[in-house]
């Protein structure tokens, strides 16, 4: 029997991360599942098994808590073959001149700073095991929209950082992918609007958005490609979403 591989999935309490956790365990992998909501991680353990899921409860913005959590990973889960940097969020949709600075700082600390710290901490293991990194970016990395200001900036960082990692990891066998989804229905909009369920429902209504399982299946596909293949960046959207034109302010 082959030893199961292990995926470290951040933001596994909801949306893409929770779906990926289930997808990878169904595919025979073990997972380290992270998030702040301990009850949801415990539910994953209860559903998938304590031998398959190690719950790691911490706020990714808290570097000391993150490092303590890494130090506490049991040996059974310590050989990380895949890092899925998924935890992240948007906060607010206001134009820059009206935006809340705290929202901006939260996005930078979560989507950029924490992702960098965690990646740096796990790189030695990933190199040793010739593993892989999937960084969850966004179409917002490439296509700006009003109110996307700092969120788009953080995701542009994630995509470019991923390409830079590819260059640095040249020859190590470690694969790196920036996954850039468009609209997918998760708790993303609920979080972005600070809890406005009606706004979230209105955004997705009739749009046939992607699902968390669509993204989980894509992460699974990327991670299980033959070792000689690397998907550098992968942009995906629901069929009902596409591009709009430039805006023009007139006299
Ligand atoms: P969800 O809100 O459903 O899930 C976000 C996850 O991130 C949760 O598990 C949450 O865990 C975790 N998270 C957020 N902040 C922190 C924190 N400070 N510390 C620890 N964990 C944190 O959204 P999605 O599944 O949609 O989002 C996942 C990723 O996908 C994000 O990076 C998002 O930017 C990106 N994305 C989403 C798209 C969409 O349309 N849904 C499209 C493109 C990209 P907890 O709250 O328990 O801590
Ligand atoms: C989430 C997609 O279009 O809301 O990253 O920025 S979008």
């Amino acid at each position: 029997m082959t030893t199961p591989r292990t995926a470290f999935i951040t933001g596994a309490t909801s949306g893409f991360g929770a779906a990926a956790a289930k997808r990878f365990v169904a595919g025979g992998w073990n997972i380290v599942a992270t998030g702040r909501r301990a009850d949801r991680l415990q539910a994953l353990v209860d559903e998938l098994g304590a031998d398959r899921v190690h719950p790691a409860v911490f706020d990714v913005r808290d570097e000391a808590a993150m490092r303590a959590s890494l130090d506490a990973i049991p040996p059974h889960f310590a050989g990380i073959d895949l890092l899925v940097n998924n935890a992240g969020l948007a906060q607010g949709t206001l134009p820059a001149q009206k935006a809340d600075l705290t929202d901006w700082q939260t996005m930078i600390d979560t989507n950029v700073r924490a992702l960098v710290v965690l990646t740096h901490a796990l790189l030695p293991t990933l190199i040793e095991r010739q593993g892989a990194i999937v960084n969850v970016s966004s179409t917002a990395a490439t296509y700006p929209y009003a109110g996307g200001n700092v969120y788009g900036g953080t995701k542009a960082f994630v995509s470019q950082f991923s390409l830079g990692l590819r260059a640095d990891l040249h020859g190590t066998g470690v694969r790196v992918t920036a996954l850039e989804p468009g609209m997918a229905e998760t708790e993303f909009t609920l979080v972005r609007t600070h809890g406005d369920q009606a706004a979230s429902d209105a955004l997705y209504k009739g749009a046939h958005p992607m699902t968390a399982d669509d993204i989980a299946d894509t992460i699974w596909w990327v991670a299980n490609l033959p070792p000689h293949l690397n998907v550098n960046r992968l942009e995906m959207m629901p069929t009902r979403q596409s591009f709009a034109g430039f805006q023009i302010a007139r006299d």
Side-chain angles (χ1 to χ4, degrees):
M1 209 175 100
T2 53
T3 313
R5 286 188 280 173
T6 301
F8 190 107
I9 303 173
T10 66
T13 57
S14 170
F16 302 168
K22 292 173 188 173
R23 182 69 189 84
F24 277 78
V25 170
W29 290 50
N30 293 333
I31 58 164
V32 177
T34 90
R36 290 166 296 184
R37 286 170 285 184
D39 56 333
R40 293 202 184 188
L41 292 180
Q42 188 54 49
L44 270 184
V45 173
D46 293 344
E47 180 184 342
L48 303 173
D51 55 332
R52 313 301 305 281
V53 181
H54 172 68
V57 182
F58 62 91
D59 185 325
V60 291
R61 295 168 297 173
D62 182 342
E63 186 177 331
M66 181 195 289
R67 292 192 188 282
S69 217
L70 291 178
D71 289 343
I73 295 176
H76 178 59
F77 293 92
I80 311 293
D81 300 289
L82 171 68
L83 168 60
V84 182
N85 272 317
N86 165 74
L89 77 176
Q91 293 273 265
T93 53
L94 290 171
Q97 59 274 28
K98 292 185 179 163
D100 182 341
L101 182 60
T102 309
D103 282 347
W104 282 10
Q105 289 164 332
T106 300
M107 289 186 279
I108 293 166
D109 289 348
T110 310
N111 301 357
V112 175
R113 192 177 165 281
L115 182 146
V116 163
V117 171
L118 182 60
T119 303
H120 189 267
L122 290 181
L123 270 179
T125 306
L126 290 164
I127 291 169
E128 185 188 316
R129 298 177 71 84
Q130 301 203 336
I133 302 171
V134 175
N135 289 327
V136 181
S137 177
S138 166
T139 48
T142 304
Y143 308 102
Y145 57 87
N149 41 64
V150 167
Y151 179 68
T154 64
K155 293 304 187 179
F157 174 88
V158 171
S159 286
Q160 193 64 18
F161 179 57
S162 304
L163 296 176
L165 280 173
R166 279 278 289 137
D168 288 350
L169 293 166
H170 181 77
T172 63
V174 177
R175 298 185 286 173
V176 186
T177 300
L179 179 60
E180 300 174 341
M183 183 170 62
E185 186 167 6
T186 62
E187 293 178 12
F188 177 84
T189 302
L190 194 62
V191 170
R192 182 171 210 166
T193 59
H194 298 288
D196 187 340
Q197 186 65 57
S200 177
D201 293 343
L203 178 67
Y204 300 125
K205 187 164 183 257
H208 299 272
M210 294 186 292
T211 66
D213 284 336
D214 293 330
I215 306 305
D217 286 343
T218 306
I219 297 171
W220 171 259
W221 174 74
V222 165
N224 286 281
L225 285 168
H228 68 286
L229 290 176
N230 190 101
V231 176
N232 297 334
R233 54 200 301 175
L234 196 167
E235 182 184 302
M236 56 195 292
M237 283 180 172
T239 307
R240 295 268 183 114
Q241 182 181 30
S242 64
F243 317 101
F246 295 112
Q247 53 188 344
I248 298 165
R250 301 184 189 281
D251 292 333

